[in-house]
Amino acid sequence: MDAVDRAVLTELAADPRLPTAELARRVEVSVPTARDRLRRLQESGVIRGYHLDVDPAALGYPVAAFVRVRPGPGQLPKIAELARSLPQVSECHRITGEDCFLIKVHAADVGSFEETLDRFLLHGQTTTSIIQSTPVPPRTPGLG
Amino acid sequence: MDAVDRAVLTELAADPRLPTAELARRVEVSVPTARDRLRRLQESGVIRGYHLDVDPAALGYPVAAFVRVRPGPGQLPKIAELARSLPQVSECHRITGEDCFLIKVHAADVGSFEETLDRFLLHGQTTTSIIQSTPVPPRTPGLG
DNA sequence: GCTGAAAGCGGCTTCAT
DNA sequence: ATGAAGCCGCTTTCAGC
């Protein structure tokens, strides 16, 4: 992870669809070098992948919420499994604290959360926080 | 948003770096059609962008936490501003409930959260939950 | 290990249907 | 929306430093 690697990451973060040749130009190294650096960053797992950012509203989910779930006794694996199986869930984290899971849930309107929450309520208690806005959209930490 | 549009989104979600020609092949439409669909999806805001997924550990942040912040009186804008300015913050949402913000914070180790939390404690109360694992990594809701 | 050039392949654009 | 044609650019590989 030297300056060239960081420059590759910074440029690719700015535009993940950048072709290798253009990437080389911006980082100011030769094409084979850029290509090798990129390959190594991918194979070593520094670059985990690429994501398409789709507006959930266009897919019928204009509202989103973070739901904390505190599982009942023995219900912990079922909650993770349920989260994975629901298309309304876009994220699920195991966390420390009184609640064991933090789940991002999407819905057609504020009322529609009920159905999804009911599925989780079978296995524990839930605390729901509607997302009103996102002052800092997802970004890579530490890349300026 | 017809079946072709959804197919374009599904294929691009699977591999965001897919060239237009290859995309056309997989969706089974002509190249100009795929190109036009993609252009319209981007210009209409259905596709908000593309993201590079970098392992934060490689950048010196092996641990992450979700921090809820309840602002003191009049401190609300300052917290959003602070979140935006800190490279350790990769996400910040305004939410409903007792706490006003949900912030994703990254650190070099469990102890290092202290410094970042202190910055937020100047403007309110914090509740921290370390991320232990991520059973469902970020994905697009409603795309299978 | 990085550079620069050459060859081959493929994507991009435009046009006519 | 399709299919073909031509141009341009990317990728790969090689020799050299």
Side-chain angles (χ1 to χ4, degrees), chain A:
Chain A
M1 278 293 293
D2 60 2
V4 174
D5 284 329
R6 272 188 296 275
V8 167
L9 290 179
T10 302
E11 291 300 333
L12 259 188
D15 184 359
R17 304 222 304 170
L18 224 51
T20 316
E22 179 63 24
L23 181 63
R25 238 166 272 140
R26 301 200 186 181
V27 179
E28 296 184 325
V29 294
S30 69
V31 171
T33 299
R35 189 186 165 285
D36 289 347
R37 295 300 188 119
L38 181 55
R39 225 173 44 90
R40 285 186 52 186
L41 287 170
Q42 287 177 150
E43 291 179 353
S44 68
V46 172
I47 293 178
R48 291 194 287 209
Y50 305 87
H51 290 305
L52 180 69
D53 181 12
V54 179
D55 184 358
L59 298 168
Y61 300 118
V63 297
F66 280 104
V67 179
R68 304 200 304 273
V69 181
R70 186 190 315 205
Q75 300 296 297
L76 206 138
K78 294 221 171 170
I79 291 175
E81 197 182 320
L82 178 60
R84 199 175 290 112
S85 74
L86 293 177
Q88 296 93 339
V89 169
S90 68
E91 237 173 279
C92 173
H93 305 274
R94 187 69 204 286
I95 58 174
T96 62
E98 298 190 357
D99 304 300
C100 286
F101 289 100
L102 181 65
I103 302 175
K104 192 171 186 178
V105 175
H106 300 260
D109 52 70
V110 176
S112 298
F113 279 114
E114 200 173 334
E115 304 161 23
T116 306
L117 290 181
D118 284 350
R119 304 287 298 270
F120 286 105
L121 280 169
L122 295 172
H123 308 108
Q125 300 173 22
T126 66
T127 306
T128 301
S129 303
I130 306 276
I131 299 176
Q132 297 172 320
S133 66
T134 299
V136 181
R139 66 184 183 188
T140 305
L143 270 192

Side-chain angles (χ1 to χ4, degrees), chain B residues 30 32-33 37:
Chain B
S30 70
T33 299
R37 295 300 188 118

Side-chain angles (χ1 to χ4, degrees), chain B residues 1-100:
Chain B
M1 279 295 293
D2 59 2
V4 174
D5 284 328
R6 271 188 295 277
V8 167
L9 290 180
T10 303
E11 291 300 334
L12 261 188
D15 184 359
R17 303 221 307 170
L18 222 53
T20 316
E22 179 63 24
L23 180 63
R25 237 167 273 141
R26 303 201 184 180
V27 180
E28 297 185 326
V29 294
S30 70
V31 171
T33 299
R35 186 186 165 282
D36 288 350
R37 295 300 188 118
L38 181 54
R39 222 172 47 88
R40 287 187 52 185
L41 287 170
Q42 288 178 148
E43 291 178 353
S44 68
V46 172
I47 294 179
R48 291 196 288 210
Y50 305 86
H51 290 305
L52 179 69
D53 182 11
V54 178
D55 184 357
L59 298 167
Y61 300 117
V63 297
F66 280 104
V67 179
R68 305 200 302 275
V69 181
R70 186 188 317 204
Q75 300 296 297
L76 206 137
K78 293 220 172 171
I79 290 173
E81 196 183 322
L82 178 59
R84 200 175 291 112
S85 74
L86 293 176
Q88 296 92 342
V89 170
S90 68
E91 237 173 281
C92 173
H93 306 273
R94 188 66 207 288
I95 59 174
T96 63
E98 297 191 358
D99 303 301
C100 287

